[in-house]
Amino acid sequence: MTQRKMPKDLFWGNSVSSVQTEGAWNVDGKGLSVYDVRKATSTSSDWHDAIDEYHRYEEDLDLMADMHMNMYRIQISWSRVVPDGDGEFNQEGIAYYDRVVDAMISRGITPMICLYHFDMPLALANNENGFMSRHTVDAFVRYAKAMIDHFGDRVKYWLTFNEHNLYFTDEAFHIAGYTSGDQSVNDLYTIFHHTMLAHAKVAAYVHQQFTDVKIGGMLAYTPIYPATSKPNDVLAAQQYDEFVYQNLNEVYATGHYSSEVMTYIQNHDIKFDWQVEDESTLAAMKTDFLAFSYYRTGTINADKLPQNLVPNRYLNVAFEQNRFLESNAWDWSIDPTGFRLAITDLYNRYHIPVFPVENGIGIDEQWDGEHEIQDDLRIQYHRDHIRAMKDAMFEDGAQVLGYLGWGLIDIPSSHGDMRKRYGAVYVNRTNTELRDMKRVPKKSFYWFQQILSENGDEL
């Protein structure tokens, strides 16, 4: 096979959230977020310290530069720059992100900023029920516009909501600042609609005010296969895909919701705070790229579905592991072919550049204080997924902007568990002990260093 040369402007990098990296939860004027008041459990840490990147970002950026990364996707903590979510801006918080962005650029690392990664300012959660309220939508748009105005001269790639489709599943009640209600279908659809309006307003603003700033929508992409070839399994998989994935991509690409989803809303009399002006709000936005996270795939067994269950909730009862795939210790399947399918399908449907901005595998690892961690499973996972991405590009014709790994310097998992490590660099802390947080490259660090030095041409 002839060598497949990757585009010279391809992005290689790392993605994180503020709550999983920064720490410094109560310094320099930061307000409380919903994460800051969550307590540690028997299997998770609290969110007060994370990996202390607030004070150690220079060290971490040096490691990324040594690995030949050329992009770092961070998140601005809303409550660090607007302590109560909708009041005065905190200049000390903004100055921190100025320092981080400038430090990236000085190392040849392109910054990407995500504006919301589940960490609702506590005041808006308590006072407004999070994104159940249009006041929160307005507060988010105000905050987002201010950040884009401030950083737009240096930051050219933006995301609004991390894994936006999770707001169309029951995860919404945990990540949208929802504090009261019966978690009804009406509430679920209202939260989702409000977040999509917020995204649309910010995306429209970007394109009104800037000619060189790009903004994309982002999904948590977990392709769901039918458990068998039975038609009801195939139908259920298609319905879930349409509601939880393609419905959002339709809005990003065309400015309107899926006809299947809107028909379901009408047939089931779902109330989701639709207002007349919302149609023009959605239609006014433009999407420069379709971003997504990808870790695994799953299957759906339609025989487990009760009658009249909203498709958004299918996986609550009908998800099954794929018996043909291996999995990690948390039963997340390993499926590089699914990665290729996701990239190719997205590009074939919408012909908008595709950008996988999270990919990785969680492994339970301990460092003995002396020897290099031999994380061969992580190396194999990333090698196979990058090869699959190249297949999507060179065999299927997909346009891909880059490849960002997730948490390539160890961070607490999304549930706050330091045992589930994604990094090529070990951070010396546990759920219960902060220790010295020393950064220790693993075997995969040097693998990435070699691969990225050659722009992914040699695998």
Side-chain angles (χ1 to χ4, degrees):
M1 180 182 295
T2 58
Q3 188 182 54
R4 303 184 294 181
K5 291 283 189 180
M6 298 294 265
K8 293 302 182 185
D9 58 353
L10 200 74
F11 290 115
W12 298 98
N14 186 23
S15 283
V16 296
S17 76
S18 62
V19 295
Q20 291 165 280
T21 53
E22 290 176 5
W25 67 288
N26 61 351
V27 304
D28 295 338
K30 182 184 180 302
L32 293 176
S33 79
V34 292
Y35 277 79
D36 295 324
V37 296
R38 292 182 183 176
K39 305 298 184 183
T41 71
S42 60
T43 58
S44 68
S45 60
D46 64 30
W47 297 96
H48 290 174
D49 299 286
I51 61 168
D52 194 32
E53 192 165 279
Y54 191 83
H55 300 106
R56 304 180 71 148
Y57 66 87
E58 297 266 12
E59 177 183 3
D60 289 348
L61 290 174
D62 284 341
L63 287 164
M64 294 178 214
D66 287 347
M67 225 190 304
H68 301 294
M69 291 182 181
N70 60 7
M71 178 172 273
Y72 186 29
R73 173 197 150 206
I74 64 168
Q75 179 227 340
I76 292 177
S77 167
W78 187 354
S79 58
R80 190 177 295 284
V81 298
V82 190
D84 63 358
D86 62 353
E88 295 295 320
F89 283 85
N90 173 30
Q91 296 306 316
E92 287 184 280
I94 295 171
Y96 164 70
Y97 294 109
D98 274 326
R99 295 192 296 273
V100 174
V101 166
D102 290 346
M104 284 190 226
I105 293 171
S106 72
R107 291 166 172 81
I109 298 173
T110 299
M112 172 187 275
I113 288 179
C114 179
L115 290 161
Y116 187 80
H117 198 122
F118 313 156
D119 57 337
M120 177 67 62
L122 186 62
L124 289 177
N126 290 338
N127 299 333
E128 297 291 338
N129 206 12
F131 277 111
M132 275 296 292
S133 163
R134 286 198 179 229
H135 177 83
T136 302
V137 173
D138 293 340
F140 176 81
V141 172
R142 169 180 174 264
Y143 142 71
K145 288 179 177 179
M147 294 302 98
I148 293 166
D149 286 344
H150 184 85
F151 292 102
D153 62 329
R154 291 158 289 163
V155 180
K156 305 302 180 182
Y157 291 86
W158 293 79
L159 299 170
T160 50
F161 294 95
N162 179 74
E163 299 183 327
H164 198 164
N165 56 321
L166 296 186
Y167 299 89
F168 216 28
T169 72
D170 284 337
E171 288 288 331
F173 302 114
H174 306 291
I175 63 180
Y178 184 90
T179 55
S180 63
D182 58 4
Q183 299 190 8
S184 65
V185 173
N186 287 346
D187 282 1
L188 174 63
Y189 276 59
T190 298
I191 290 170
F192 166 70
H193 179 54
H194 285 171
T195 59
M196 187 55 79
L197 290 175
H199 169 85
K201 291 178 179 182
V202 174
Y205 180 78
V206 165
H207 293 107
Q208 290 162 4
Q209 300 296 319
F210 298 87
T211 59
D212 60 346
V213 173
K214 298 182 183 299
I215 189 165
M218 182 202 168
L219 306 187
Y221 221 103
T222 302
I224 299 300
Y225 306 129
T228 71
S229 57
K230 291 187 298 186
N232 62 336
D233 285 349
V234 176
L235 176 62
Q238 184 276 328
Q239 289 174 322
Y240 186 82
D241 181 71
E242 184 66 18
F243 274 69
V244 179
Y245 302 125
Q246 307 316 326
N247 179 49
L248 283 86
N249 291 323
E250 279 285 322
V251 185
Y252 299 145
T254 69
H256 58 75
Y257 292 128
S258 154
S259 58
E260 183 177 345
V261 172
M262 292 302 288
T263 301
Y264 187 94
I265 287 170
Q266 182 178 4
N267 289 344
H268 293 81
D269 195 28
I270 294 173
K271 307 299 183 186
F272 67 112
D273 190 33
W274 176 267
Q275 298 181 13
V276 173
E277 64 272 18
D278 294 349
E279 184 173 4
S280 60
T281 297
L282 295 178
M285 70 169 162
K286 174 188 172 185
T287 297
D288 297 301
F289 58 90
L290 297 175
F292 65 96
S293 64
Y294 178 92
Y295 298 93
R296 57 173 175 161
T297 56
T299 77
I300 188 167
N301 181 348
D303 292 344
K304 296 181 177 180
L305 293 174
Q307 284 191 342
N308 298 320
L309 182 67
V310 63
N312 311 69
R313 289 174 164 161
Y314 278 3
L315 294 193
N316 296 1
V317 295
F319 178 88
E320 289 186 348
Q321 290 293 113
N322 191 326
R323 66 187 185 277
F324 300 106
L325 298 174
E326 295 182 359
S327 300
N328 72 354
W330 285 268
D331 288 330
W332 284 31
S333 62
I334 300 172
D335 185 7
T337 301
F339 191 43
R340 175 182 178 176
L341 290 170
I343 294 169
T344 300
D345 183 56
L346 274 176
Y347 190 72
N348 284 349
R349 285 176 186 260
Y350 304 104
H351 297 285
I352 295 172
V354 175
F355 201 163
V357 296
E358 292 182 24
N359 182 234
I361 183 169
I363 303 174
D364 189 351
E365 296 165 321
Q366 292 83 36
W367 181 49
D368 65 7
E370 180 181 358
H371 298 95
E372 179 182 273
I373 292 174
Q374 302 295 301
D375 56 338
D376 295 290
L377 177 59
R378 180 171 293 108
I379 292 171
Q380 188 64 48
Y381 180 95
H382 284 282
R383 177 188 286 117
D384 290 346
H385 283 72
I386 294 171
R387 283 175 173 165
M389 181 180 77
K390 293 180 74 169
D391 288 340
M393 296 167 67
F394 293 101
E395 305 296 329
D396 306 337
Q399 182 181 352
V400 177
L401 297 182
Y403 175 88
L404 307 186
W406 173 253
L408 292 179
I409 296 174
D410 282 347
I411 57 178
S413 74
S414 59
H415 293 94
D417 191 353
M418 279 302 303
R419 297 173 304 165
K420 190 178 186 182
R421 296 173 180 267
Y422 286 85
V425 176
Y426 187 88
V427 174
N428 190 33
R429 66 154 293 183
T430 70
N431 284 336
T432 56
E433 297 178 80
L434 294 180
R435 296 181 178 172
D436 60 3
M437 295 207 200
K438 181 178 180 179
R439 273 62 165 161
V440 184
K442 307 173 189 177
K443 183 178 179 180
S444 61
F445 176 90
Y446 302 102
W447 178 83
F448 271 114
Q449 191 177 59
Q450 177 64 34
I451 295 302
L452 301 191
S453 72
E454 299 172 342
N455 196 34
D457 288 337
E458 295 286 349
L459 289 170

